[in-house]
């Protein structure tokens, strides 16, 4: 039994026709070039390296010359054997590489194909680890990028069978075994409100909402009542109207005894009463009312909808329930960002961490510094990075195209703030600094050069972020050699203050709350600033600066003072709150006491199982820092769902399926670690040297955050695939009270978890929430899991992780489609059977197959 899983490449595959003028020739030549890439072997030559082949076909009637052109692409890793077949591969910067003919090249003859062997460090174990974004540049047209698309055929069966995942997630029997942890629960027995409320009681009655239903609200809740009217208008042919005060069938009532984000929801056959002390509480009561509505009601408008009578009392466990979306590395349109906000509000998430600046893009217009978006939001081929940024993450060489290029105008950003605020979502903007800042750096260099040409020397240097005289050599984790601000320059602080002040003005205009700005602070590479003239000068005059390490505390100290003057507190990644010291003669990091009492809020991501910092969040919380738990092990949504070759996403921090954010135990997550950083099962993690969270530390845990980095989000569909259904696990853990299964010892924990909780959650998703998301606000392209298969007693058994999704199959070797036979019981059919899961709209997950020969 084996899997043959279907994967479609990220790009439409075509043969690209382009024209060049060859040196010395008057006529124009049309070249037809096509590419194909395929992995061949891991552990090539017995080393930690892989072999793949890039086939370059010249389908035209002209020879491709042996010099004068370069083939660019995005990839990662090092290439220990750079030469093959007369061509050389070389590193440019970041994740950009190029292949060029070398002295041994004969070019590529008309109609010929060459197989370029790519020997790369590390292994290839999923589709994400493939070169993308190919384009050609000819030396006589150095500023013209010519897209060349690439096909990605399935690897050989030998390659796939050699992968570790061949015995796990690529084996349908293993998937079946994992799916057996989920019991099928009748839909009638499922609670109707999600995330789980504190108290829920279903009554034997229903209330009917129609266009004739009236809504009244305390004046404090008038905006929420208007929102409810609009939401019901998406379901009903005639929209219910609301008024403040008076009697009505749906009432939003103020009750000052209820917790600030809490609510009470009482539905009888005669009326609906939502009580709360704040507009936020009333809003969450409305979301629970929407949760009571049948998922299929969102498919089309109707005359009326029936609401189950209930008595609900509810409030969140954590006041900070966050989702971080990276739109900097790859951009997402405004409409998609609004869809994300709608999703967040439905599931009562209240913080949107907006990661809009990075090495690869700056995505919010700052009118006083227009270069930030004129240069920093545009990616395309460039030889000097002066007017645009180089391609990254499969964005290709042509500028002004999604997902590499794009930004929100000032007007768009204010509109987004208003949209989020109306849904009780606080937007936290992130200005990545001092590392991950290449887009801003290149934009400010563009500004510098323009103003210098205009003779405005002082103004040119006012916001400059680097000094060209700094000859420090470094390379960041992501491969950049020029992405760190020189924090010894006074102009860096001018820049940070200017952007901060512009953001504050936009928030004021939008009427949106702004308590903090996230200033980044992660992954600054070693050896940075060592040869900076500004650093050496500062070191000679400031006794507190003895090494480049001290620049870190200098930088965040100045940011802290600046933020305080503006009534803000500083947020950042964990490094912002850490101090480098020594222990037993080795470098060692501790919670920096300098900022612990200044309400620094740290988003702690580094808990990779096996790296040694699993308890970092708890150490920082115990040390006095406010901590947002953002662990890569459970909440990094850009990580692959599982280890299958066909599953997109990164794997460096493990794999994250919907169960990971769901079974996360915020105050003692080490108790429930099931996999290591490579996704391998782990039973008992050695915690002898790890710090436990104290009661004081618990008081500093602000809340939870899920994170979706965008390196691989090349479309809105891919974003939604990586986000859903993982976001629902986050929503449940951030809102619901501590579950019973998380309170006991490990054995009792697992028994309670698998006997009840996990099955209940999976059924709620498969039978209520995902069907709702087929239609809610235009529908979402959530991931549909693969089907598990088992041969037993000469019959084929099939199951699914999320009961409620349809399983369909074929027996003639074709791929299942929405009209294929529906699986309802074990099959005794002989031969090769192919299976896939479907949603109600006919969208399909990957295909698995089994051969029944008994």
């Amino acid at each position: 039994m084996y899997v043959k899983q279907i994967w479609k490449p990220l790009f439409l595959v075509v043969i690209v026709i382009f024209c060049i003028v060859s040196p010395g020739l008057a006529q124009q030549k049309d070249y037809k070039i096509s590419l194909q890439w395929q992995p061949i072997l891991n552990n090539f030559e017995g080393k930690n390296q892989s072999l793949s082949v890039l086939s370059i076909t010249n389908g035209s009637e002209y020879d491709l010359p042996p010099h004068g052109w370069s083939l660019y692409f995005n990839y990662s890793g090092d290439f220990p054997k750079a030469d093959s077949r007369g061509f050389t591969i070389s590193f440019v910067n970041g994740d950009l590489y190029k292949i060029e003919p070398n002295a041994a090249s004969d070019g590529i003859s008309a109609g010929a194909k060459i197989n370029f062997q790519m020997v790369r460090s590390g292994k290839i174990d999923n589709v994400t680890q493939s070169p993308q974004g190919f384009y050609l540049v000819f030396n006589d047209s150095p500023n013209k990028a010519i897209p060349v698309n690439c096909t990605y055929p399935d690897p050989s069966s030998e390659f796939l069978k050699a992968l570790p995942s061949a015995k796990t997630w690529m084996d349908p029997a293993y998937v079946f075994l994992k799916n057996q942890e989920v019991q099928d629960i009748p839909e009638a027995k499922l609670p109707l409100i999600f995330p789980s409320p504190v108290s829920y009681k279903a009554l034997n009655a229903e209330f009917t909402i129609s266009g004739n239903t009236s809504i009244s609200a305390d004046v404090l809740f008038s905006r929420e009542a208007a929102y409810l009217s609009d939401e019901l208008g998406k379901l009903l042919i005639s929209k219910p109207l609301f008024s403040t005060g008076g009697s009505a069938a749906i009432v939003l009532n103020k009750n000052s005894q209820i917790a600030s984000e809490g609510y009470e929801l009482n539905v009888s056959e005669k009326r609906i009463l939502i009580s709360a002390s704040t507009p936020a509480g009333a809003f969450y009561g409305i979301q629970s009312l929407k949760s009571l509505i049948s998922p299929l009601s969102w498919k089309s408008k109707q005359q009326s909808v029936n609401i189950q009578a209930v008595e609900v009392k509810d409030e969140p466990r954590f006041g900070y329930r966050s989702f971080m979306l990276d739109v900097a590395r790859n951009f997402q349109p405004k409409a998609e960002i609004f869809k994300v906000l709608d999703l967040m509000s439905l599931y009562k998430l209240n913080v949107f961490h907006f990661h809009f600046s990075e090495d690869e893009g700056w995505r919010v217009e700052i009118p006083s510094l227009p270069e930030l978006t004129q240069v920093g939001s545009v990616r395309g081929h460039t030889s000097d990075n002066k007017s645009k940024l180089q391609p990254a993450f499969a964005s290709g060489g042509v500028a002004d195209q999604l997902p590499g290029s794009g930004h929100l105008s000032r007007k768009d950003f204010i509109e987004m703030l208003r949209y989020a605020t109306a849904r009780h979502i606080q937007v936290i903007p992130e200005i990545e600094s001092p590392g991950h800042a290449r887009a801003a750096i290149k934009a400010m260099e563009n500004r510098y050069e323009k103003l210098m040409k205009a003779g405005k020397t002082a103004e040119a240097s006012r916001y400059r972020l680097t000094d060209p005289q700094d000859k420090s050599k470094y390379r960041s984790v992501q491969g950049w050699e020029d992405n760190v601000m020189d924090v010894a320059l006074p102009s860096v602080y001018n820049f940070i203050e200017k952007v901060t002040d512009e953001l504050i003005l936009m928030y004021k205009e939008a009427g949106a709350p702004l308590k903090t700005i996230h200033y980044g602070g992660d992954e600054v590479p070693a050896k940075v600033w060592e040869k900076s003239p500004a650093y050496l000068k500062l070191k000679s005059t400031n006794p507190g600066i003895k090494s480049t390490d001290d620049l870190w505390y200098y930088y965040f100290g100045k940011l802290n003072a600046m933020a305080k003057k503006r009534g803000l507190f500083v947020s950042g990644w964990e490094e912002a709150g850490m101090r480098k010291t020594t222990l037993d003669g080795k470098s060692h990091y501790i919670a920096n006491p300098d900022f612990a009492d200044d309400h620094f809020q740290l988003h702690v991501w580094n808990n990779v199982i096996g790296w040694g910092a699993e308890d970092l969040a708890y150490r920082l919380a115990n040390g006095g820092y406010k901590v947002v738990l953002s662990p890569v092990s459970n909440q990094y949504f850009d990580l692959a769902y599982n280890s299958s070759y066909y599953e997109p996403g990164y794997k460096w921090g493990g794999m994250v399926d919907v169960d990971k954010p769901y079974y996360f135990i915020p105050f003692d997550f080490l108790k429930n670690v099931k996999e290591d950083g490579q996704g391998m099962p782990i039973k008992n993690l050695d915690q002898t040297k790890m710090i436990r969270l104290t009661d004081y530390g618990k008081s500093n845990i602000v809340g939870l955050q899920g994170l979706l980095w965008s390196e691989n989000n090349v479309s809105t569909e891919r974003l939604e695939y990586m986000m859903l259904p993982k976001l629902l696990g986050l929503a449940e853990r951030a809102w619901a009270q501590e579950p019973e299964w998380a309170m006991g010892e490990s054995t009792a924990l697992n028994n309670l978890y698998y006997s009840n909780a996990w099955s209940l959650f999976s059924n709620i998703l498969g039978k209520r929430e995902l069907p709702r998301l087929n239609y809610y606000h235009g529908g979402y392209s959530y991931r549909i899991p693969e089907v598990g298969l088992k041969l037993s007693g000469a019959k084929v058994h099939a199951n699914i992780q999320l009961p409620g999704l349809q399983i369909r199959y074929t027996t003639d070797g074709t791929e299942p489609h929405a009209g294929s036979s529906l699986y309802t019981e074990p099959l005794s059919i002989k031969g090769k059977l192919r299976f896939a899961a479907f949603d109600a709209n006919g969208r399909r997950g990957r295909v698995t197959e089994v051969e029944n020969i008994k």
Side-chain angles (χ1 to χ4, degrees), residues 305-567:
V305 292
N306 294 328
I307 306 294
Q308 171 69 50
V310 294
E311 293 177 352
V312 178
K313 292 184 179 181
D314 199 11
E315 63 180 279
R317 181 183 183 188
F318 293 102
Y320 192 103
R321 306 176 300 281
S322 177
F323 175 61
M324 188 222 76
L325 179 62
D326 168 16
V327 298
R329 289 185 168 117
N330 276 320
F331 186 63
Q332 295 293 329
K334 181 177 71 172
E336 183 65 17
I337 295 171
F338 282 27
K339 277 189 72 177
V340 171
L341 293 171
D342 285 324
L343 188 73
M344 290 176 62
S345 66
L346 176 64
Y347 295 114
K348 305 183 177 81
L349 298 174
N350 67 345
V351 179
F352 184 46
H353 179 164
F354 192 54
H355 188 90
F356 72 82
S357 68
E358 256 294 347
D359 294 321
E360 300 82 11
W362 182 286
R363 308 301 187 177
V364 173
E365 179 189 17
I366 304 297
S368 62
L369 299 174
E371 298 84 4
L372 285 171
T373 45
Q374 290 171 353
V375 175
S377 75
V378 181
R379 289 212 301 263
H381 177 68
T382 173
S383 57
D384 57 15
N385 286 275
K386 291 184 176 181
S387 63
K388 64 176 76 74
L389 305 179
Q390 71 178 54
F393 304 124
S395 61
V398 179
D400 297 314
Q401 294 185 354
L402 288 172
S405 300
H407 71 275
L408 296 181
S409 67
R410 186 180 190 276
K411 180 181 177 183
D412 290 336
F413 185 65
I414 290 172
E415 185 181 352
M416 185 196 78
L417 292 176
R418 288 173 175 158
Y419 198 84
T421 302
R423 287 152 182 77
H424 296 276
I425 296 172
Q426 175 190 358
V427 179
I428 295 182
E430 181 177 353
I431 307 170
E432 261 284 27
S433 68
H436 288 281
R438 189 174 186 271
I441 289 169
K442 297 304 178 184
M444 291 302 94
E445 285 302 288
N446 177 281
R447 180 183 185 277
Y448 172 82
E449 291 189 11
K450 284 193 303 184
L451 292 174
M452 286 298 288
K453 288 179 181 179
K456 300 178 179 179
T457 305
E459 184 60 25
S461 299
R462 185 182 302 274
Y463 301 113
R464 205 175 190 190
L465 301 177
T466 56
D467 180 355
Q469 300 305 312
D470 180 2
K471 304 303 180 182
S472 304
K473 296 292 183 181
Y474 62 87
R475 188 171 177 183
S476 75
V477 174
Q478 286 77 20
W480 296 108
E481 299 174 333
D482 53 356
N483 75 331
V484 182
M485 299 176 181
D486 187 343
V487 299
L489 292 172
S491 52
V492 166
Y493 303 94
N494 295 338
F495 174 83
I496 296 292
E497 288 185 8
K498 171 58 70 173
V499 175
T500 295
D501 288 341
E502 292 260 8
L503 288 172
I504 289 171
L505 288 174
M506 285 188 268
Y507 274 77
K508 286 183 178 178
E509 187 171 332
L514 180 63
K515 300 176 183 178
T516 184
I517 291 176
H518 195 294
Y519 289 102
D522 65 321
E523 295 184 327
V524 172
K527 300 186 180 301
V528 72
W529 306 318
E530 288 181 345
K531 298 180 180 180
S532 160
Y535 157 64
L536 296 173
K537 180 180 178 180
L538 186 64
K539 182 180 178 181
S540 69
T541 59
N542 187 328
I545 306 296
K546 295 180 175 61
S547 72
T548 54
D549 292 337
D550 296 316
L551 282 179
W552 193 250
Y553 325 126
Y554 174 82
Y555 178 65
F556 274 98
K558 289 179 74 68
L559 284 191
N560 188 36
M562 181 271 296
K564 279 184 174 181
K565 288 181 181 178
R566 290 158 174 79

Side-chain angles (χ1 to χ4, degrees), residues 771-783:
R772 190 190 318 277
L773 295 179
N774 287 332
Y775 312 109
Y776 187 76
H777 285 261
Y780 294 83
S781 300
Y782 55 82
R783 177 184 184 265

Side-chain angles (χ1 to χ4, degrees), residues 10 131 138 170 180 345 352 396 420 445 561 576 612 642 714 757 787 844 849:
L10 301 178
F138 285 84
M170 294 187 70
Q180 277 189 312
S345 66
F352 184 46
E445 285 302 288
N642 60 49
V714 296
V787 176
R844 189 190 72 190
E849 64 181 39

Side-chain angles (χ1 to χ4, degrees), residues 718-743:
R718 174 55 58 82
L719 180 151
E720 293 174 7
Y721 179 99
M722 301 306 294
M723 178 174 60
L724 290 167
K726 298 177 188 182
L727 187 87
L728 305 188
L730 167 70
E732 173 71 4
R733 197 52 54 235
W735 179 275
Q737 301 303 301
E738 184 176 18
E740 182 182 359
W741 56 262
M743 298 179 187

Side-chain angles (χ1 to χ4, degrees), residues 139-153:
N139 292 1
D140 57 359
S141 299
N143 296 317
K144 181 180 180 181
I146 304 160
V148 181
N149 290 323
C150 184
T151 60
Y152 300 87

Side-chain angles (χ1 to χ4, degrees), residues 7-170:
W7 172 66
K8 294 183 179 179
L10 301 178
F11 297 92
L12 178 66
V13 176
V14 297
I15 293 178
V16 178
I17 300 175
F18 56 88
C19 300
I20 67 166
V21 178
S22 298
L25 296 179
Q27 80 269 23
Q28 195 176 61
K29 292 184 177 180
D30 294 336
Y31 285 95
K32 300 176 182 179
I33 306 299
S34 61
L35 304 175
Q36 177 180 289
W37 179 87
Q38 191 172 34
I40 303 299
L41 184 66
N42 283 316
N43 301 313
F44 181 59
E45 296 180 336
K47 301 176 182 178
N48 182 27
Q49 59 187 19
S50 57
L51 172 67
S52 62
V53 170
L54 179 69
S55 299
I56 308 174
T57 301
N58 181 4
S60 62
E61 56 185 83
Y62 305 100
D63 294 344
L64 193 62
H67 54 78
W69 55 270
S70 302
L71 178 65
Y72 289 84
F73 61 96
N74 298 118
Y75 207 9
S76 62
D78 296 317
F79 293 86
K81 294 187 176 183
D83 299 328
S84 172
R85 295 294 306 274
F87 298 89
T88 299
I89 187 170
S90 60
F91 171 72
V92 179
N93 201 357
D95 71 338
L96 187 64
Y97 294 80
K98 63 180 177 180
I99 296 172
E100 298 174 297
N102 58 35
S105 175
D106 295 324
I108 305 176
S109 301
K113 177 178 75 172
I114 66 112
N115 291 324
F116 180 80
Q117 291 192 337
M118 302 175 75
V119 179
R120 170 183 171 270
S121 61
K123 62 184 178 180
I124 299 170
D125 59 8
N126 79 349
V127 293
T128 295
Q129 295 175 326
S130 58
Q132 303 281 350
F134 289 94
Y135 66 94
L136 270 169
V137 175
F138 285 84
N139 292 1
D140 57 359
S141 299
N143 296 317
K144 181 180 180 181
I146 304 160
V148 181
N149 290 323
C150 184
T151 60
Y152 300 87
D154 281 348
S156 68
S157 59
E158 291 78 11
F159 177 87
L160 293 174
K161 289 176 181 177
L163 294 174
S165 60
K167 297 180 180 179
T168 57
W169 286 101
M170 294 187 70

